[in-house]
Amino acid sequence: MKSMYWIAFKSIAIKEITRFSRIWVQTLVPPAITMTLYFIIFGNLIGSRIGDMGGVSYMAYIVPGLIMMSVITNSYSNVASSFFSSKMQRNIEELMVAPVPHYVLIGGYVSGGVSRGLAVGCIVSFVSLFFVDLKLANFGVIIATVLFTSILFSLGGLINAVFAKTFDDISIIPTFILTPLTYLGGVFYSLSLLPEFWQDVSKLNPIVYMVNAFRYGFLGVSDVSIFTSFSVMIGLIVLLYAIVWHLISKGIGLRS
């Protein structure tokens, strides 16, 4: 029985990875180009006037945040678009009636989002080497943070896809919620620059903890506790997984 579950998981995962890798010009190249523009504009042009931040150059300071931004966006969008497409094409109904647990279905789609997030993260990291010398203060923190973050936003994309009625609904959350939270998540600045009240408000933004944990892995500096950062990420993963499992088990948004 377990071997059957593994085959089902592997089949979904391979399908998801093949899906985005087959059109790599549309899925992997654009993030590299976008982040290169960020490096040039914010890093070289503006950063040279800002000076150091957190004891390092401004370019080095924003690179971890920009990598994390690309991981978040691509992990989310990959699962949201793929699952919604399966739902609209009625392919998801075949998976719903298959004799496999819901966690296999969830794990298969999430693995696709994580794979794309990690792939884009590696590409953006490679591009950043042309602009700054990346240092690794704690490699374990880097790996754990990027994995937890990509899993978290893959689950978020799955929730979005379950409730979406049209393809336009897929872009609402990234445009009006995800993008603002990312820009206000400490990617381009340190929370210490904000008044104390706005520092407290910023700490309500979960992306702050992911960006700072990732930055700590590279630079050894963070505006928030690393323990708190991982607690927030793990807690949100458990919460979103529970929501996804409930939605799929009840067939909410999946059954006509």
Side-chain angles (χ1 to χ4, degrees):
M1 185 66 70
K2 289 184 178 180
S3 61
M4 182 179 70
Y5 294 166
W6 169 247
I7 292 174
F9 168 79
K10 187 170 65 173
S11 299
I12 298 173
I14 292 175
K15 177 183 76 71
E16 289 300 297
I17 295 172
T18 303
R19 176 181 173 272
F20 76 79
S21 59
R22 187 177 62 248
I23 52 174
W24 59 272
V25 175
Q26 302 175 36
T27 56
L28 302 181
V29 174
I33 296 175
T34 301
M35 290 303 124
T36 299
L37 295 176
Y38 276 117
F39 293 144
I40 294 174
I41 296 173
F42 289 95
N44 284 349
L45 301 182
I46 298 178
S48 60
R49 292 170 173 77
I50 294 178
D52 291 351
M53 184 171 292
V56 297
S57 68
Y58 185 69
M59 170 66 89
Y61 189 84
I62 68 172
V63 163
L66 291 175
I67 297 173
M68 185 55 62
M69 182 192 300
S70 64
V71 170
I72 289 172
T73 303
N74 285 274
S75 297
Y76 189 97
S77 62
N78 189 80
V79 178
S81 61
S82 178
F83 192 86
F84 179 76
S85 296
S86 295
K87 188 174 74 169
M88 289 297 97
Q89 295 169 4
R90 302 294 185 182
N91 297 335
I92 196 65
E93 295 178 357
E94 299 175 5
L95 295 175
M96 292 289 293
V97 299
V100 293
H102 296 311
Y103 68 80
V104 174
L105 172 63
I106 297 171
Y109 276 94
V110 168
S111 65
V114 171
S115 298
R116 179 172 167 181
L118 293 180
V120 171
C122 291
I123 292 172
V124 174
S125 299
F126 176 76
V127 171
S128 69
L129 295 177
F130 292 96
F131 299 91
V132 64
D133 292 330
L134 284 180
K135 297 180 180 179
L136 304 180
N138 192 317
F139 187 70
V141 170
I142 293 173
I143 297 300
T145 302
V146 74
L147 280 176
F148 287 156
T149 301
S150 57
I151 291 172
L152 173 60
F153 283 95
S154 294
L155 290 169
L158 196 50
I159 295 175
N160 188 178
V162 168
F163 286 108
K165 301 296 183 182
T166 67
F167 273 103
D168 291 336
D169 295 337
I170 296 297
S171 62
I172 290 177
I173 299 298
T175 301
F176 295 103
I177 297 179
L178 203 55
T179 298
L181 287 179
T182 303
Y183 279 105
L184 296 174
V187 173
F188 299 102
Y189 58 87
S190 170
L191 297 187
S192 61
L193 298 177
L194 301 175
E196 185 174 350
F197 172 77
W198 290 110
Q199 290 186 35
D200 294 335
V201 172
S202 295
K203 290 178 182 178
L204 298 176
N205 181 356
I207 295 180
V208 165
Y209 300 93
M210 303 166 204
V211 169
N212 276 277
F214 200 59
R215 181 174 288 133
Y216 178 84
F218 281 102
L219 307 176
V221 297
S222 175
D223 293 323
V224 295
S225 165
I226 299 301
F227 176 78
T228 302
S229 296
F230 279 103
S231 297
V232 169
M233 285 186 279
I234 294 172
L236 288 175
I237 287 174
V238 172
L239 174 62
L240 293 191
Y241 178 83
I243 293 174
V244 169
W245 191 90
H246 174 75
L247 293 174
I248 293 180
S249 63
K250 297 297 182 180
I252 298 175
L254 303 178
R255 297 170 182 167
S256 302

